[in-house]
Amino acid sequence: MRDAAGEVQLVHDEVVRLRNLGSRSAQVAELFTSPSGFTEADLADTVGAGAARLLIDRLSQLLIIHPLVEQQPPPPEHLIHQTGYLEAMSAEPGMSQQRIRTAKVAIIGLGGIGGLVLQHLLGAGVRQFLLVDGDVVAPANLNRQFLFTPADIGRLKVDAARECVSRYPDAHAEVRPTFIGGTDELAGEFVPDFVVCAADSPPGLIVRWTAAYAAKHAAGFISCGVGINRGYWGPVIVPGETRCLACARPDLRDGPADRPAPLAVSFSPVNSMVAAGVAADMLWTIGRLRPIRDIAVMKVLNLTRASLDSIRPSVAAACDDSLCNSRVETPS
């Protein structure tokens, strides 16, 4: 029979190996071995919703830990129909909604995709956001950026977006009115569970910088973009569960020197379909509603051919990311 101190140390060592949470590793170990048990929300308060589920899944296979306390709160009235969807997708619909509610999401770029993603997540029940964009609302934005109205023209996008978030009960957004020029500019107290790169400048580099920010916090990550009649999103990257950015995005391995400049054209249906795909992949991942192997692929939308194709990540020969799971199987 393992003694209490030994059990705490064993859990602590495994948490460090899986997540390297620093001083929080001790808190997590004590929580896992608490005689009174714990809820997933308890763990999410310490490490974030995404990391909480991964730690529970991994450690329950390896160690003797106290079982989760059942937690099935009644859904808010505006989520009644979503509850039915969750019941069809999950054996623990209440827990799936709890993961969504407690998730902390950083959205980088509030343009034609980012603003729509924010609206989808708010409707689904996400309540904590970091919004990053240095731009102001312009008349030319309104054909596709439905987060804003003509009354917002001239305002900072993050201020208008924060006002929209504040209309939802218990929702809160931290904002940064800035264009990202490097990984250091994303430092701060906000600890995300999921990061969306919906910005397109500087080409190539912005994806690397935001992916590095997500990896620093062991958070999920997704990027996206649009062309004239085409768009893409994904793959979802979750440290320890999927392949890393170098494996998932071979187009970024050779640097950004030959990246095309963002298009100065837009068509709202393309933005809307890509944003809906981004939000779906995020919510499926956060709520643990679909196997990660089904989500960890890039989707490419082509309106002229009325097609949606999936591109499987490959393994980068030079990949040395310790949290890259190169054994993840993705669908053909």
Side-chain angles (χ1 to χ4, degrees):
M1 186 83 178
R2 185 184 298 134
D3 66 273
E7 184 177 358
V8 171
Q9 186 61 49
L10 191 56
V11 175
H12 174 271
D13 293 346
E14 191 62 25
V15 168
V16 170
R17 188 183 74 80
L18 290 173
R19 270 291 182 267
N20 191 24
L21 296 170
S23 61
R24 288 182 294 165
S25 296
Q27 293 176 262
V28 172
E30 298 221 348
L31 186 62
F32 267 122
T33 53
S34 168
S36 60
F38 64 97
T39 67
E40 186 163 334
D42 293 331
L43 187 59
D45 287 341
T46 304
V47 300
R53 174 42 48 183
L54 175 63
L55 288 169
I56 289 168
D57 288 346
R58 295 287 181 85
L59 292 175
S60 63
Q61 297 172 11
L62 300 171
L63 303 165
I64 299 173
I65 60 177
H66 295 285
L68 292 175
V69 176
E70 282 299 318
Q71 186 171 305
Q72 299 288 334
E77 186 175 357
H78 75 282
L79 291 173
I80 292 297
H81 291 291
Q82 179 165 293
T83 299
Y85 175 82
L86 297 180
E87 288 172 349
M89 297 290 289
S90 171
E92 298 179 307
M95 193 61 74
S96 293
Q97 187 62 63
Q98 178 72 356
R99 294 182 194 118
I100 292 169
R101 188 190 71 78
T102 59
K104 296 181 178 180
V105 174
I107 301 178
I108 316 302
L110 292 170
I113 299 176
L116 292 169
V117 170
L118 174 61
Q119 290 176 296
H120 279 292
L121 299 181
L122 275 168
V126 178
R127 289 294 176 263
Q128 299 177 79
F129 297 93
L130 172 66
L131 307 177
V132 182
D133 197 311
D135 206 358
V136 298
V137 180
N141 298 147
L142 300 182
N143 77 313
R144 66 201 183 281
Q145 298 180 23
F146 308 129
L147 187 66
F148 312 120
T149 71
D152 294 314
I153 291 173
R155 297 182 68 192
L156 284 165
K157 288 182 177 180
V158 291
D159 287 344
R162 176 168 53 188
E163 186 175 291
C164 178
V165 170
S166 69
R167 299 186 190 119
Y168 286 76
D170 304 321
H172 172 73
E174 295 181 29
V175 300
R176 296 191 195 171
T178 184
F179 295 108
I180 300 303
T183 54
D184 290 344
E185 293 183 31
L186 285 165
E189 294 183 1
F190 188 89
V191 179
D193 298 304
F194 213 107
V195 177
V196 188
C197 179
D200 54 13
S201 184
L205 283 173
I206 189 64
V207 178
R208 289 183 175 183
W209 293 337
T210 51
Y213 167 60
K216 176 183 177 182
H217 296 291
F221 176 77
I222 191 169
S223 58
C224 48
V226 295
I228 294 179
N229 282 312
R230 291 167 60 89
Y232 86 90
W233 66 93
V236 167
I237 297 172
V238 180
E241 295 190 69
T242 70
R243 292 175 180 147
C244 64
L245 183 69
C247 294
R249 291 289 305 275
D251 57 311
L252 295 178
R253 292 177 196 163
D254 298 326
D258 58 350
R259 303 250 146 238
L263 291 175
V265 298
S266 62
F267 185 52
S268 65
V270 181
N271 289 272
S272 298
M273 284 187 272
V274 170
V278 171
D281 279 2
M282 291 178 64
L283 293 167
W284 284 332
T285 302
I286 293 168
R288 294 285 165 171
L289 299 172
R290 296 184 62 192
I292 192 65
R293 65 177 178 273
D294 295 341
I295 309 172
V297 295
M298 179 185 288
K299 286 88 169 179
V300 179
L301 172 72
N302 188 323
L303 284 187
T304 57
R305 292 195 290 115
S307 67
L308 180 64
D309 301 315
S310 296
I311 299 177
R312 174 186 298 195
S314 59
V315 179
C319 176
D320 61 356
D321 190 328
S322 62
L323 292 179
C324 176
N325 185 355
S326 60
R327 296 168 297 173
V328 168
E329 295 180 4
T330 52
S332 302

